[in-house]
């Protein structure tokens, strides 16, 4: 078994992606008697296949089962076919952080909360994806990831938005609701590493 086939990715990652697709594809207004699965069959996130897969991966999650990088790659390819791929990955990261990370410890000063959130980001991403996802360098919030698995799975760089959404939600839950995360560089654009910073 190659590293690519080794089960290491938490099933929660697949659940978050599929649930995000369902959320993004749900129309803003739904008539009371409308059956979305019939009236909007082209919306992948609303298909019965996705509903079934959500239940399958939820059960995997309860059992503690892992996915391989190869399986994760198939999910990434599924999203990359969409024109709104970057938005889907961002919202997926937001969902994962909201579910996996603790909320703000209000009794701590801001600097203390920031330290805890940065530690939680590194640990949680490593737990979810079965490998260390970079680390923080000098500065209030400067995340750097080299040889990112997302870059290896997606040459467009859209999948990296998962990290952007994850970090932004983590900071808003744990430090300050007004914080925003921006991506400064990407390996897919020729940079040595992917880098993120935060403001607010």
């Amino acid at each position: 078994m190659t590293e690519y086939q080794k089960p290491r990715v938490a099933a929660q990652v697949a659940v978050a992606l599929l649930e995000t697709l369902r959320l993004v594809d749900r129309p803003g207004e739904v008539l009371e008697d409308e059956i979305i699965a019939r009236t909007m069959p082209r919306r992948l996130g609303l298909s019965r296949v996705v509903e079934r897969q959500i239940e399958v991966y939820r059960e995997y999650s309860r059992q503690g089962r892992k996915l391989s990088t190869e399986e994760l790659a198939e999910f990434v390819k599924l999203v990359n076919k969409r024109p709104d791929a970057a938005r889907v990955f961002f919202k997926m990261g937001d969902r994962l952080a909201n579910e996996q990370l603790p909320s703000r410890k209000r009794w701590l000063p801001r600097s203390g909360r920031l330290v805890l959130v940065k530690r939680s980001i590194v640990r949680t991403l490593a737990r979810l994806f079965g490998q260390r996802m970079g680390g923080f360098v000098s500065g209030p919030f400067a995340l750097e990831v080299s040889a990112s698995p997302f870059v290896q799975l997606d040459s467009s760089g859209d999948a990296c938005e998962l990290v952007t959404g994850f970090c932004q939600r983590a900071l808003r839950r744990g430090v300050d609701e007004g914080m925003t995360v921006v991506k400064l560089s990407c390996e897919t654009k020729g940079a040595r590493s992917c880098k993120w910073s935060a403001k607010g």
Side-chain angles (χ1 to χ4, degrees), residues 93 125 133 143 150 159-168 181 196:
L125 285 175
M133 302 279 286
L143 177 63
F150 301 122
C160 289
E161 285 303 301
L162 187 157
V163 177
T164 309
F166 187 91
C167 290
Q168 181 165 294
V181 172
W196 288 264

Side-chain angles (χ1 to χ4, degrees), residues 7 14 38 72 87 113 127 132 162 164 185:
R38 291 181 186 170
L72 178 61
R87 176 171 168 253
R113 297 197 302 268
R127 176 173 54 80
R132 185 173 173 82
L162 187 157
T164 309
S185 65

Side-chain angles (χ1 to χ4, degrees), residues 75-132:
F75 281 111
V76 171
K77 287 177 186 176
L78 181 70
V79 177
N80 275 341
K81 294 178 181 178
R82 301 169 58 106
D84 61 348
R87 176 171 168 253
V88 171
F89 284 121
F90 181 93
K91 287 183 171 292
M92 175 189 172
D94 180 280
R95 176 178 288 271
L96 277 171
N98 206 44
E99 293 173 350
Q100 302 292 323
L101 297 176
S103 57
R104 187 184 325 177
K105 291 179 170 48
R106 296 182 181 276
W107 51 271
L108 282 177
R110 180 187 172 98
S111 59
R113 297 197 302 268
L114 185 57
V115 168
L116 289 180
V117 166
K118 286 159 64 173
R119 286 179 186 167
S120 293
I121 287 172
V122 172
R123 290 174 182 170
T124 306
L125 285 175
R127 176 173 54 80
L128 288 172
F129 293 95
Q131 58 184 302
R132 185 173 173 82

